[in-house]
Amino acid sequence: MTGGFIPPHGGYQKLLSYRKAEIVFDATVCFCDRFIDRRSRTHDQMIQAARSGKQNIIEGSMASAASKETEIKLTNVARASLEELLADYRDFLRTRSLAEWPKDHPYAKRLRALNRLPDSNFETFRKGIENPDPAISANVVIGLIRVTCYLLDRQLRSLEEAFIKEG
């Protein structure tokens, strides 16, 4: 539809933050189904936090034409949901006396290199996500969440700057 007063909007599929959030969601479903009891509240909450991260990016993108303020709020909700999910993964490691990888860990370095690939997707990270060792799997998803949060932080700063300039 052209010629209306609502400017073009959407396009979330092109956002790197969305593509990473989608990987985080798929990875979390996989992780929870393998390592968290399906009847536990944590299983559902982790999947819902991952879903919220992804879905709020979509909703914010679609709302952007009518309200930049709503776009910022929903993008911030996505960021907050992923932070909650990050805490769940850290709790998983801590309560099982498993280590979170430091930045200089060889696997963390490899994960950062994979994250820099322009068309990375679930397949790019499948070996780590589906690793039988829950510590490796959790750390891979933690790394993906961190990258997604970093991208959302940059996106939020950009949206806020545009909102201040353009109203």
Side-chain angles (χ1 to χ4, degrees):
M1 184 171 146
T2 58
F5 68 88
I6 297 178
H9 58 284
Y12 60 87
Q13 300 96 330
K14 295 177 187 169
L15 291 171
L16 187 54
S17 61
Y18 171 76
R19 293 195 321 264
K20 294 293 184 187
E22 186 174 57
I23 297 168
V24 167
F25 173 75
D26 293 348
T28 297
V29 170
C30 180
F31 180 88
C32 288
D33 286 351
R34 290 170 59 231
F35 300 115
I36 308 285
D37 185 336
R38 289 177 192 251
R39 296 167 301 193
S40 85
R41 202 163 161 225
T42 301
H43 183 280
D44 293 339
Q45 286 180 321
M46 287 178 72
I47 291 172
Q48 286 308 310
R51 182 184 183 280
S52 177
K54 179 177 75 74
Q55 296 301 112
N56 277 291
I57 294 169
I58 295 170
E59 196 173 345
S61 176
M62 296 308 295
S64 67
S67 172
K68 293 296 181 188
E69 184 178 357
T70 299
E71 180 182 19
I72 291 168
K73 286 179 182 177
L74 289 167
T75 303
N76 198 50
V77 170
R79 173 66 175 83
S81 294
L82 291 173
E83 193 67 33
E84 175 187 344
L85 182 62
L86 178 60
D88 284 332
Y89 277 100
R90 286 181 167 153
D91 289 346
F92 177 89
L93 292 174
R94 188 187 71 258
T95 60
R96 289 160 181 82
S97 299
L98 301 171
E100 185 174 342
W101 295 338
K103 286 183 180 183
D104 60 345
H105 190 286
Y107 290 165
K109 290 178 180 179
R110 175 69 178 138
L111 183 59
R112 281 195 303 277
L114 290 174
N115 265 306
R116 285 192 288 273
L117 296 173
D119 291 325
S120 62
N121 56 29
F122 186 89
E123 288 303 315
T124 308
F125 305 97
R126 181 181 293 277
K127 188 175 177 182
I129 292 167
E130 294 182 351
N131 195 290
D133 183 341
I136 292 174
S137 184
N139 272 290
V140 167
V141 184
I142 284 171
L144 288 163
I145 294 168
R146 283 184 175 152
V147 167
T148 309
C149 287
Y150 169 78
L151 292 168
L152 286 170
D153 287 343
R154 283 185 32 197
Q155 189 174 333
L156 281 164
R157 278 193 301 278
S158 176
L159 290 170
E160 289 167 354
E161 288 170 12
F163 182 76
I164 290 167
K165 279 184 189 172
E166 300 161 21

